[in-house]
Amino acid sequence: MKKEIEFPYESFINGTLIDETYCDKIITHFKKNKNQAKSGKLAKGQIDTSKKVSIDLFFNDEKLVDEFKHYIQKAINEYQAKYKEVSNLDEFQIIEWPNIQYYKKGWGFKEWHNERDCHINRTLVWMLYLNDVEDGGTEFKYQKIKVPARKGLLLMWPTDFTHTHRGIVSNTKEKYILTGWLGYR
């Protein structure tokens, strides 16, 4: 198992490591169902390849989703333990269908963005890196943090403008992520 990544307390970003074999299952699922995937869209449903280039697949395989519930609960518990003021995370649930996103070499979500945008029910975003990408990851604008794409690293952070971020595009390796949002039941 890889060493945990420490994030500054004031960043409100947390990372939880999960079983890497689960990541392999999701990539296999994506490859088997790639014919159902669509071009990645921006928050309001538009496609703009100057900002984001990906192939996205709704993550709706019941068996894999059920298995993921254990991992997302672990991440929620760790987030709540780190940020004790956030006492009501047990009232959160995954809202909207999560996405498996595939980025070829040179592809990415290049535009600075946040996850709230027009989605008022989103409170926390989570993202799981499904493979290692040494020169890829996620950059947080105001926290001045660059997170490397590490297989099995499940990130969680607030959805608002305070956590504006973008992908770090790799020109050497493809990248797979699973991403979704938590909100109140």
Side-chain angles (χ1 to χ4, degrees), residues 104-110 135-137 167-172 175:
K104 288 184 181 181
K105 296 175 191 176
W107 287 12
F109 202 147
K110 305 168 189 177
D135 62 338
I168 301 171
V169 176
S170 171
N171 291 311
T172 64
K175 179 171 77 173

Side-chain angles (χ1 to χ4, degrees), residues 123-178:
T123 304
L124 292 173
V125 60
W126 53 266
M127 180 175 59
L128 172 62
Y129 294 112
L130 300 176
N131 65 321
D132 288 318
V133 184
E134 294 76 17
D135 62 338
T138 306
E139 179 179 9
F140 291 87
K141 185 175 186 175
Y142 301 115
Q143 290 73 20
K144 301 196 182 334
I145 293 174
K146 291 183 179 181
V147 182
R150 289 180 46 189
K151 184 177 184 178
L153 178 60
L154 176 56
L155 293 180
M156 189 172 287
W157 69 89
T159 58
D160 284 312
F161 69 92
T162 56
H163 287 74
T164 297
H165 60 285
R166 67 180 173 192
I168 301 171
V169 176
S170 171
N171 291 311
T172 64
K173 198 167 181 185
E174 62 188 7
K175 179 171 77 173
Y176 290 89
I177 65 169
L178 175 65

Side-chain angles (χ1 to χ4, degrees), residues 83-121:
Y83 301 107
K84 296 184 181 0
E85 301 82 5
V86 184
S87 59
N88 59 349
L89 287 184
D90 55 333
E91 297 175 18
F92 281 27
Q93 67 180 7
I94 294 175
I95 58 171
E96 304 172 50
W97 281 112
N99 284 306
I100 304 169
Q101 297 179 354
Y102 168 69
Y103 299 93
K104 288 184 181 181
K105 296 175 191 176
W107 287 12
F109 202 147
K110 305 168 189 177
E111 181 84 356
W112 288 112
H113 65 284
N114 65 68
E115 300 296 324
R116 173 82 66 167
D117 199 11
C118 63
H119 301 280
I120 60 170
N121 293 332

Side-chain angles (χ1 to χ4, degrees), residues 19-117:
D19 182 5
E20 293 182 11
T21 60
Y22 179 72
C23 299
D24 296 333
K25 292 178 189 179
I26 297 172
I27 291 174
T28 299
H29 171 75
F30 179 87
K31 289 178 178 179
K32 285 182 180 176
N33 296 282
K34 193 174 180 179
N35 62 326
Q36 298 173 28
K38 301 188 182 316
S39 292
K41 296 180 180 179
L42 301 174
K44 295 179 181 164
Q46 69 270 42
I47 296 173
D48 183 343
T49 57
S50 70
K51 297 177 181 179
K52 179 183 181 187
V53 183
S54 67
I55 299 173
D56 298 359
L57 177 68
F58 285 126
F59 181 59
N60 57 5
D61 177 274
E62 284 185 45
K63 184 179 175 191
L64 287 174
V65 170
D66 282 346
E67 192 174 348
F68 184 69
K69 289 176 183 176
H70 163 75
Y71 298 121
I72 196 67
Q73 190 60 56
K74 178 183 177 190
I76 289 170
N77 292 346
E78 286 185 15
Y79 198 90
Q80 193 163 353
K82 184 175 182 177
Y83 301 107
K84 296 184 181 0
E85 301 82 5
V86 184
S87 59
N88 59 349
L89 287 184
D90 55 333
E91 297 175 18
F92 281 27
Q93 67 180 7
I94 294 175
I95 58 171
E96 304 172 50
W97 281 112
N99 284 306
I100 304 169
Q101 297 179 354
Y102 168 69
Y103 299 93
K104 288 184 181 181
K105 296 175 191 176
W107 287 12
F109 202 147
K110 305 168 189 177
E111 181 84 356
W112 288 112
H113 65 284
N114 65 68
E115 300 296 324
R116 173 82 66 167
D117 199 11

